Each structure stands twice: as structure tokens, then as C-alpha cells.
Amino acid sequence: MFSHTFLYGEDYLTASIAIGIAQGTTKAEFSKSCLEKVRGSSQIVGEIVDKGDTVYGINTGFGPLCNTRISKEDTKLLQSNILQSHSVGVGKPISKMLSKIMLILKIHALSKGYSGIQETTLKRMQWHLENDAIPIVPSQGSVGASGDLAPLSHLFLPLIGLGKVEYQGRTISARQLFSETKLRPLELGPKEGLALINGTQFIAAHAVLVVQKMQYALRHADIIGAMMLEGLQGSMKPFHDKLHAVRPFKGNQHVAGRIRTLLQGSEILEDHIDCERVQDPYSLRCIPQVHGASRNAWLHLKELLETELNSVTDNPVIIDDNLVISGGNFHGQPLAMVLDYAALAASELGNISDRRVYLALEGNSPGVPKLLMEDTGINSGYMILQYTSAALASENKTLCFPASADSIPTSLGQEDHVSMGSISGRKALRIIENVEKILAIELLTAAQAFEFRKPLKSGVVLDEIHKFIRTKVPFAENDRVFSDDIEKGIQMIKDGEIIALVEEVMKSKELVWDTPYQEEFENY
């Protein structure tokens, strides 16, 4: 059933592994040595309380109350109070998948043995995952500074019998869940509440999905761009390996190599190899540079995210018996800035896609009619589809203002610089969802233009893709309700059917991608 077993706190976590655990295709468990480290860290916290040493968050208040001493008797009450007082999230709940990923990331971070969490608490979190009792987490309320305080508080309210969960297809209270499962609320020990809610798991969970969805968008953009290049009889010279060797950005070289592979053996290319056109518009000619720049941004996000996924981001951090450090590992800036960068990169992917859609409608390519339809006048053809891609591209531009450029002091000035990374993550996902829709529109227009190249054939990969598209969306001779076509296109993008088909054809024809960076860009 499981592809492999992941060991919390020990193995190297990546976005794809986190998604695999959330989807149930990868098993995750605790090793004996991991639980020993967790117990040792918890024991150190207990000793601090017994000795009466003043340590932030263990026997002091939080934020601006850091100098307020808490008695030994009240240290446990302090931890349940923090979950309740910090549960101030608003807005629509995040998706169940995001909540699951948050749980997975938090379990992994706490399992490293630097947080003072109790073994029973850790295993209760695992129980929620394994029994698909997923807490309801509002989407708004985090400023991404002392970690994602509000969303993480909501995520862990059910541990103490409060909050709500999605369970067996229903949204129910934690109290009802306990009644049905015979569980009892946990009594949190010293520091546990703070360990649970300090951290960047809300931001990081969004980044995990951004890495996955953006990579899908990037792969689709190359494939669809190659099909549009064929439909409009674009030149292959701008994709020459020697051209990109003299400006060797990884992303540029990778995209150019993918396009060369997709067009290998094309009769369409051969047919216009000696045409009189000197050069193509930028939206075709600069595909490697624009898609490649977005690829580079994606790679930067992937690398930084993996560092974060395998880090300890709560506070204070228990190094050993003699060293407990109250620092700033919970600050979301490292992910906030790179998520804003990724959002811009994704938006540009949609921007150039919309330009290619417009280009396809102009009727300037031999054999391709204006608006991609022979009988226009009574028919508007594909004209209005580009209105939608333009609207989506414009909406994305308004979302590109970097959330990490803003900071509003909180906690009476104790938290006087915050990352706003939670907003960065939410915006990035919104932009990518819009890009999927733009790419779906380009997919339809590229397939329509491609049709006018018959009986000439493209490379074997693109020909098979075109056949597949036609099983979903027929060639348009007359106007119809194109929103139905667009929805089918969006579904093809979301389902990854085209990517799967490409890999299948590549394997059956024994084709190899002409790029040295396949491993870096195609795995996460």
C-alpha cells in the first residue's frame, strides 16, 4: 500500500513526501531514537520548572508579558490558556489538505527533540492524521512572526477538547469527536502550548502546495508553448543549445531543451525552415528566458522550503541541559520573501501565456485564420476567450505586491517586525490557480491553431497530446459555449493528464529530455 516509510524527526522531508503522507501514499512513523530525544527534551523542561529557573514561555508570560513570572502550579494552565487566547483566526477555513500538511510539518519539527513536547501529545497529533480527524483552521489572522500563532492555535485546539474537526465527512466539535471515539482531552505540560503554536507551519504548508502546483504549471506552460509555436509556425533557432550556452541560466537551458525535445522530428518545422520571416514576437521567441526565469524562482523556493521543512522553528529552543535559547527561529521572513518571488514568477507565466493567446488570434501566421475560425462575422471565434485570460492576468498583477514588504508591529511592540508570510503563501496559491485557467485557455487556442497545420505532423509527443485534447474538446468550426471548453481545459491542467501522457509517449518512443537539469527541475 505504501511507497515507503518516512521517519519523523530523522528523515529528510520534501514537499512531495509531505504531500504523499497527507494523501496516504507514504507511511510516517516515529523511531525509537526519535522518541528518546523527545522524552529527553521534555524532561529538561520539567527540570527547569522544578528548579525555578526563569525561562521564557515555560514559567513566564508570552510576548509583552515575558517578564511576568508564572508559578509552578500555573505553568500547565498557562499552556492551555495560550491555545485559547491565540485562537483568533477569521475567514474561510483552509483546505483539508493544507491542514493535514500543517500537522505533518509540525510533527516532523517537534520530533527533532528541541521543543520539550510530550510523547503523548506527539502521538495524539499522529492519531488525528491517521484517523482523518483534521482540525478546521481559519485562513486569516497570522502575521507570520512568532510563527503562525492564530492558525496553529486553531489546529491544536482539539488536543484540549476545543475547536472543530472534519471527521467522516462532517464538521463536528472536538467534544463530539471525543464522545464518538472515547478520547480524552490532553493536559498540556509546561512549554507545550507555546511549542505547538510557535512555528511557520501555516506558511510552509502553503509553500508545499505552491511548489507542487507551480511546477505543474511550469511543465504545462512549456508543453503548451511548444504546441503554440507549431500552430503559429514559430522558429526553432531561439531554442538552440549554443545560444543558451552563452547565457547559461539553468532555467533557460532547461526550457529550451524541453522545447527541442517536444519538437523533435516535426514535419511542421521542416515545412517552413526557409521561410522569409526574420524573427518571432517575444512571446514565442523568449519562451526560454521567461519560462526559464520562473523556473529559477521555483527552484529557489524549493531549496529554501526544504531547509525550512527540516528545521526547528518554535521558541524557546532546548539545545541541551545547560542551554535553552529564546531566539527568532519562528520568524517567517525566509519563506515570506521567496513566496512573494514565486508569486511574481507564476504571474509572469500567465502574462506571457495570455500574449501568446492574443498572438494566435491576429491571423498573421500563414494558414491560420483570424480569430482561429474560418467563418467569422457571424462567429466571433476565439476572440472572447482572450478577454478572460486578460482579466486573469490583470488580476494576478494586482496580487503581486509583496506581502513581505509590509510590517505592522504587534504584541505591544514586542513583535515590532513581522513577515506577513501567511499572506504571501495565500496570494501565491491564488495566482497559480489563475495561471492554471490562463494556461487552459492557451491550451485550447494552441490546439485550434495546431489543427490548421494538417496534414503535416508535429513531433510524436505533441501529436499525441493534440489527439488527447480532441477526445475532450472538439475542433470549433462555429461558436459555442466556450466556458464549457475552458472548464475541460482547466481540469486537464489540474489532473496532470497531459504531463502523464508526455511521460508515457517519451518512454514508449525511447525519447530522452535534452536538458542536463531534469532532476533538479522535475522533482520536488
Side-chain angles (χ1 to χ4, degrees):
M1 176 184 175
F2 298 109
S3 57
H4 72 283
T5 299
F6 177 84
L7 297 179
Y8 284 122
E10 295 185 9
D11 288 347
Y12 190 75
L13 186 60
T14 64
S16 62
I17 292 173
I19 291 168
I21 297 169
Q23 291 176 335
T25 57
T26 298
K27 184 179 181 181
E29 58 186 32
F30 304 107
S31 69
K32 183 179 178 181
S33 60
C34 161
L35 293 178
E36 285 175 357
K37 287 191 294 183
V38 167
R39 285 192 288 266
S41 180
S42 181
Q43 184 178 342
I44 292 172
V45 171
E47 290 170 356
I48 289 170
V49 173
D50 290 341
K51 291 177 184 175
D53 297 340
T54 302
V55 177
Y56 173 73
I58 295 177
N59 48 24
T60 74
F62 308 115
L65 302 175
C66 59
N67 295 318
T68 302
R69 187 65 185 268
I70 306 298
S71 69
K72 180 179 178 180
E73 294 74 28
D74 287 336
T75 53
K76 290 184 178 180
L77 177 61
L78 176 70
Q79 303 306 315
S80 62
N81 278 353
I82 192 175
L83 284 186
Q84 296 178 68
S85 66
H86 287 53
S87 294
V88 292
V90 295
K92 292 181 180 179
I94 61 174
S95 69
K96 185 177 180 181
M97 174 59 74
L98 275 170
S99 292
K100 278 185 166 185
I101 295 171
M102 284 180 71
L103 269 172
I104 292 160
L105 304 191
K106 195 65 180 179
I107 292 172
H108 184 53
L110 296 176
S111 295
K112 291 185 175 292
Y114 293 95
S115 302
I117 202 82
Q118 293 183 97
E119 181 180 341
T120 51
T121 306
L122 210 53
K123 288 186 173 178
R124 175 64 65 84
M125 293 160 65
Q126 185 188 36
W127 180 92
H128 275 273
L129 267 177
E130 292 181 343
N131 291 273
D132 206 33
I134 308 304
I136 303 297
V137 178
S139 57
Q140 296 170 293
S142 172
V143 295
S146 291
D148 295 306
L149 295 174
L152 283 168
S153 296
H154 285 278
L155 187 72
F156 294 120
L157 275 178
L159 298 182
I160 59 173
L162 302 174
K164 296 179 180 179
V165 298
E166 186 176 332
Y167 181 64
Q168 296 181 345
R170 301 165 295 153
T171 297
I172 60 175
S173 67
R175 186 171 287 114
Q176 187 176 344
L177 175 71
F178 285 4
S179 174
E180 294 181 15
T181 59
K182 309 305 179 189
L183 288 176
R184 294 177 62 84
L186 296 180
E187 184 180 81
L188 298 179
K191 191 188 178 295
E192 283 201 284
L194 191 61
L196 289 170
I197 71 169
N198 262 195
T200 60
Q201 284 73 35
F202 182 87
I203 301 171
H206 280 75
V208 164
L209 288 191
V210 169
V211 163
Q212 181 201 42
K213 288 178 174 291
M214 186 172 171
Q215 197 228 37
Y216 260 46
L218 287 161
R219 294 169 81 179
H220 280 109
D222 293 344
I223 295 164
I224 297 166
M227 182 173 284
M228 187 68 89
L229 194 77
E230 287 283 72
L232 302 184
Q233 286 192 325
S235 172
M236 270 299 290
K237 285 184 180 178
F239 302 88
H240 201 289
D241 60 340
K242 292 188 184 300
L243 175 68
H244 295 283
V246 298
R247 195 189 188 199
F249 288 108
K250 287 183 180 180
N252 303 29
Q253 291 181 304
H254 183 65
V255 172
R258 280 171 59 82
I259 301 294
R260 289 195 300 270
T261 304
L262 290 168
L263 298 184
Q264 191 175 316
S266 168
E267 294 177 358
I268 299 172
L269 278 179
E270 290 297 323
D271 183 61
H272 67 96
I273 200 165
D274 296 318
C275 70
E276 296 180 358
R277 273 191 296 172
V278 177
Q279 57 186 20
D280 297 318
Y282 287 2
S283 61
L284 293 179
R285 197 188 342 155
C286 299
I287 286 175
Q289 289 79 8
V290 179
H291 289 197
S294 293
R295 287 267 185 182
N296 293 332
W298 176 87
L299 186 60
H300 188 45
L301 171 62
K302 182 184 81 162
E303 291 170 348
L304 267 61
L305 173 63
E306 287 184 10
T307 298
E308 189 78 336
L309 296 185
N310 295 284
S311 298
V312 176
T313 60
D314 66 299
N315 183 60
V317 175
I318 301 162
I319 305 298
D320 54 39
D321 297 39
N322 301 309
L323 186 59
V324 178
I325 303 174
S326 181
N329 277 10
F330 48 65
H331 202 292
Q333 196 79 351
L335 284 187
M337 292 182 71
V338 76
L339 278 167
D340 285 333
Y341 178 24
L344 174 62
S347 178
E348 279 302 288
L349 203 63
N351 201 10
I352 195 171
S353 176
D354 167 69
R355 293 299 80 212
R356 288 192 294 266
V357 171
Y358 188 91
L359 190 66
L361 303 180
E362 289 184 320
N364 292 332
S365 181
V368 177
K370 189 176 291 187
L371 303 177
L372 296 173
M373 201 171 281
E374 297 279 10
D375 186 16
T376 51
I378 191 171
N379 292 300
S380 295
Y382 278 64
M383 182 201 308
I384 309 299
L385 279 75
Q386 192 267 328
Y387 278 50
T388 302
S389 65
L392 292 164
S394 181
E395 182 177 323
N396 278 352
K397 292 171 190 177
T398 69
L399 293 170
C400 277
F401 180 83
S404 58
D406 185 34
S407 178
I408 298 175
T410 57
S411 195
L412 302 184
Q414 180 74 8
E415 297 162 14
D416 56 355
H417 181 280
V418 300
S419 75
M420 300 298 181
S422 61
I423 302 168
S424 303
R426 288 170 47 227
K427 287 198 306 96
L429 277 181
R430 281 182 62 190
I431 287 171
I432 292 169
E433 287 169 1
N434 285 339
V435 170
E436 289 171 346
K437 296 167 186 173
I438 296 169
L439 288 173
I441 291 170
E442 188 189 358
L443 178 70
L444 300 179
T445 53
Q448 186 78 357
F450 201 85
E451 202 88 32
F452 294 104
R453 296 297 163 214
K454 291 181 177 179
L456 295 175
K457 291 186 176 182
S458 181
V460 61
V461 178
L462 293 185
D463 265 347
E464 288 301 317
I465 292 171
H466 188 259
K467 289 175 188 174
F468 172 73
I469 294 167
R470 286 291 170 252
T471 66
K472 306 279 187 177
V473 180
F475 175 73
E477 293 185 6
N478 300 291
D479 286 351
R480 58 182 182 235
V481 180
F482 284 114
S483 65
D484 294 341
D485 294 1
I486 295 171
E487 286 302 320
K488 290 173 184 175
I490 293 169
Q491 205 55 51
M492 280 188 266
I493 300 289
K494 286 182 177 292
D495 291 345
E497 295 173 297
I498 292 172
I499 291 172
L501 177 61
V502 168
E503 297 304 325
E504 182 185 319
V505 175
M506 293 276 293
K507 186 176 180 181
S508 67
K509 299 297 180 181
E510 298 183 343
L511 296 174
V512 178
W513 291 108
D514 185 14
T515 164
Y517 303 113
Q518 185 71 9
E519 187 70 22
E520 277 185 272
F521 284 110
E522 303 306 321
N523 293 294
Y524 58 86

